Amino acid sequence: MTIRLSPEQAEALETVASVEQRPISDVIRAAISEHIELRRRDPEFRAGLEERIGRARRLLDRQAGG
């Protein structure tokens, strides 16, 4: 996977990793995990997810002739 950062973001990320004495990849993985967990707990996100799942089910039902 490739990620493109602005120069400012890259510098900030390098600084965080340096201060925490961790590889940049570890800092990125931790940030992604935290973001996903926050979304899992977010009622608005969950409602949107359930709506998308519902739409996908309806589409599959139509495709199956149901």
Side-chain angles (χ1 to χ4, degrees), residues 12-44:
L13 181 59
E14 289 171 4
T15 300
V16 169
S18 176
V19 169
E20 294 182 355
Q21 298 181 356
R22 298 168 58 192
I24 290 174
S25 58
D26 284 357
V27 174
I28 291 169
R29 279 192 290 275
I32 291 169
S33 293
E34 182 178 330
H35 181 78
I36 291 169
E37 187 57 35
L38 287 172
R39 289 296 175 262
R40 284 184 177 145
R41 295 176 186 199
D42 180 352
E44 286 185 37

